[in-house]
């Protein structure tokens, strides 16, 4: 449970681990005989268990969405701007659950975990997952926590895909679905960016076909480049221009100068790649980008998204950001159009921001206001 906290913070939190021994049949036919899920909770579950909210994380997210693990932590959880007392996802009202998905590298069973059949790390042999596999495992966690129905399932980017899949797989187990900066399927361009990032990892000599742990190596350089590629797509051109422009980190263009010139944006990207590659697993990155690529909400419904959403019974909130070109407002409008065609209740807003796809993570007054007002009208 959180300790005492300053205004707007959930305070110091401690992750929990739940082991599941009921086999989980995956979309590709593989079976996980047992698995762990790491999660955090914020707020208090009410007596009727009607105030629970599930946070579905994006590509590089995990269970630590809000608060800090110790007072010395430099930064709080990845969505701390929007989870906490008085914030959009108000922990004075809601019991919030955030988990690290299967295949992750922050405690839940994934490629770095030990395969009980071999006694070695799963590595490249870990099953390929689909978004629906995450949703089914999340439903198992809900059962463990005594939550029959979520007040809301919320996610940004890849998390929004999970939220939409929840509305189809378990229509009676959520009352609201919030889809932020997401899409019903990736464009060819998005798949191309993901494949380029994967190739950067797999071409690293230390990758060893994904079995790098057996060789006591790690494709750090390839993963760093993959993160740099991804990070470029999360920012907008205007945002990068405003923040970095053509400012120099070192060197100059004076005639006769031979020293290497380094731009601020180059230094920034290398820093992001270096930091990420020190905390994330390369096989997890490959697994999660492939799950992102494979997702197509209407594939099993005659490629008609309105027929897909016909299965849902909840209300929807859809949010997009003006400068997000990776998951553009047009992709969110396609979700809204499909919901309207399926005669489902939906609220939509496009938020002005210069932060690109990362906008769903950073402070924004209108975003907070729209998001908060929607969450406030959810009855618990």
């Amino acid at each position: 449970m959180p300790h005492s906290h300053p205004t707007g913070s959930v305070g110091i939190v401690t992750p929990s681990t739940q082991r599941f021994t009921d086999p989980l049949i995956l979309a590709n036919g593989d079976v996980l005989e047992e698995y762990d899920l790491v999660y955090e909770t914020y707020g208090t579950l009410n007596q009727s268990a009607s105030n629970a909210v599930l946070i579905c994380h994006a590509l590089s997210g995990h269970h630590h969405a809000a608060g800090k693990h110790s007072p010395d932590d430099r930064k709080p959880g990845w969505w701390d701007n929007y989870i906490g007392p008085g914030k959009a996802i108000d922990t004075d009202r809601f019991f919030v659950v955030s988990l690290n998905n299967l295949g992750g590298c922050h405690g839940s069973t994934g490629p770095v975990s030990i395969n009980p059949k071999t006694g070695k790390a799963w590595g490249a042999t870990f099953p390929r997952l689909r978004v629906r596999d995450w949703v089914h495992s999340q439903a198992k966690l809900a059962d463990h926590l005594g939550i029959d129905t979520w007040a809301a399932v919320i996610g940004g980017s890849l998390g929004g895909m999970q939220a939409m899949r929840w509305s189809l797989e378990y229509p009676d187990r959520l009352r609201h679905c919030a889809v932020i900066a997401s899409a019903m399927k990736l464009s060819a361009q998005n798949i191309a960016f993901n494949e380029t990032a994967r190739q950067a990892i797999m071409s690293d000599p230390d990758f060893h076909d994904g079995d790098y742990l057996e060789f006591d190596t790690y494709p750090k350089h390839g993963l760093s480049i993959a993160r740099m590629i991804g990070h470029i797509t999360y920012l907008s051109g205007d945002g990068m221009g405003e923040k970095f422009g053509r400012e120099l980190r070192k060197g100059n263009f004076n005639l006769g100068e031979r020293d290497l010139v380094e731009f601020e944006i180059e230094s920034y990207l290398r820093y992001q790649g270096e930091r990420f590659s020190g905390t994330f697993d390369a096989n997890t990155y490959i697994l999660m980008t492939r799950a992102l690529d494979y997702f197509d909400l209407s594939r099993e419904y005659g490629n008609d998204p309105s027929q897909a959403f016909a299965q849902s019974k909840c209300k929807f909130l859809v949010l997009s950001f003006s400068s997000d070109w990776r998951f553009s407002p047009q992709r969110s409008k396609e979700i809204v159009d499909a919901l309207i065609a399926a005669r489902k209740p939906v609220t939509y807003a496009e938020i002005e921001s210069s932060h690109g796809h990362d906008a769903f993570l950073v402070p924004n007054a209108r975003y907070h206001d729209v998001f908060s007002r929607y969450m406030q009208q959810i009855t618990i």
Side-chain angles (χ1 to χ4, degrees):
M1 292 296 293
H3 298 197
S4 61
H5 56 259
T7 302
S9 172
V10 299
I12 304 301
V13 296
T14 303
S16 299
T17 301
Q18 179 60 38
R19 167 147 289 197
F20 296 88
T21 55
D22 291 336
L24 182 67
I25 301 173
L26 305 175
N28 70 353
D30 287 343
V31 178
L32 278 178
E33 298 292 343
E34 57 185 46
Y35 56 95
D36 292 338
L37 291 179
V38 175
Y39 66 97
E40 291 181 0
T41 65
Y42 321 114
T44 303
L45 187 65
N46 64 14
Q47 189 170 6
S48 59
S50 63
N51 69 332
V53 169
L54 175 66
I55 304 299
C56 302
H57 71 66
L59 175 67
S60 59
H62 49 80
H63 56 277
H64 187 40
K68 293 185 176 183
H69 288 156
S70 80
D72 298 328
D73 284 356
R74 187 169 62 89
K75 289 185 177 181
W78 59 269
W79 221 13
D80 193 76
N81 289 318
Y82 294 94
I83 300 173
K87 296 181 181 178
I89 305 170
D90 188 351
T91 52
D92 286 338
R93 296 187 67 228
F94 296 111
F95 176 70
V96 181
V97 179
S98 176
L99 79 161
N100 181 214
N101 281 339
L102 280 175
C105 53
H106 294 94
S108 292
T109 298
V112 299
S113 305
I114 299 300
N115 180 347
K117 292 182 179 180
T118 65
K120 299 179 180 179
W122 281 94
T125 67
F126 194 81
R128 292 182 181 176
L129 299 175
R130 303 258 293 273
V131 168
R132 68 182 67 225
D133 297 323
W134 291 331
V135 168
H136 293 322
S137 66
Q138 291 162 4
K140 296 290 187 182
L141 180 61
D143 294 341
H144 166 72
L145 295 172
I147 299 166
D148 292 327
T149 304
W150 298 101
V153 177
I154 302 172
S157 191
L158 178 57
M161 293 176 172
Q162 295 167 61
M164 287 186 284
R165 181 59 71 188
W166 257 98
S167 75
L168 306 191
E169 298 292 319
Y170 298 97
D172 294 314
R173 298 196 65 174
L174 70 163
R175 302 199 306 277
H176 294 264
C177 177
V179 183
I180 304 170
S182 193
M184 292 185 288
K185 59 183 176 183
L186 287 194
S187 66
Q189 183 188 51
N190 265 323
I191 295 172
F193 278 121
N194 286 343
E195 175 60 9
T196 304
R198 288 191 293 266
Q199 287 298 323
I201 295 170
M202 294 187 286
S203 62
D204 189 316
D206 289 331
F207 183 64
H208 293 291
D209 294 324
D211 293 322
Y212 43 84
L213 294 178
E214 290 191 22
F215 289 84
D216 196 27
T217 62
Y218 188 67
K220 184 177 176 65
H221 181 68
L223 183 57
S224 179
I225 294 173
R227 181 58 172 180
M228 291 168 69
I229 293 167
H231 203 73
I232 291 168
T233 71
Y234 305 148
L235 305 175
S236 70
D238 288 343
M240 280 195 284
E242 292 171 7
K243 186 171 183 179
F244 302 105
R246 290 178 54 84
E247 296 299 316
L248 299 182
R249 179 75 172 180
K250 64 181 180 180
N252 60 68
F253 291 108
N254 294 339
L255 294 177
E257 290 286 349
R258 295 180 178 179
D259 290 342
L260 180 68
V261 170
E262 180 183 19
F263 290 96
E264 286 284 359
I265 185 61
E266 293 177 297
S267 175
Y268 172 77
L269 287 175
R270 282 198 293 270
Y271 167 76
Q272 291 294 332
E274 180 71 17
R275 187 179 68 166
F276 183 78
S277 63
T279 60
F280 212 79
D281 177 62
N283 279 322
T284 288
Y285 194 89
I286 291 171
L287 179 155
M288 290 195 172
T289 56
R290 282 181 171 151
L292 187 61
D293 292 351
Y294 298 160
F295 182 79
D296 185 342
L297 193 74
S298 63
R299 181 186 292 117
E300 298 164 356
Y301 301 93
N303 294 314
D304 182 347
S306 66
Q307 288 300 312
F309 281 125
Q311 318 306 310
S312 66
K313 298 180 181 179
C314 61
K315 295 180 180 179
F316 290 82
L317 170 68
V318 180
L319 298 176
S320 67
F321 299 89
S322 58
S323 61
D324 184 354
W325 57 274
R326 180 115 199 222
F327 289 82
S328 70
Q330 183 58 36
R331 301 287 79 80
S332 289
K333 291 172 185 176
E334 290 170 355
I335 298 171
V336 173
D337 289 345
L339 286 166
I340 292 172
R343 300 182 182 277
K344 302 300 177 179
V346 55
T347 299
Y348 172 68
E350 178 181 329
I351 309 297
E352 285 291 327
S353 172
S354 64
H355 290 287
H357 188 54
D358 273 353
F360 81 94
L361 299 170
V362 302
N364 179 304
R366 182 164 182 263
Y367 173 30
H368 193 279
D369 184 54
V370 171
F371 198 0
S372 295
R373 288 178 182 273
Y374 185 89
M375 296 299 294
Q376 287 167 6
Q377 55 87 40
I378 294 178
T379 57
I380 57 174

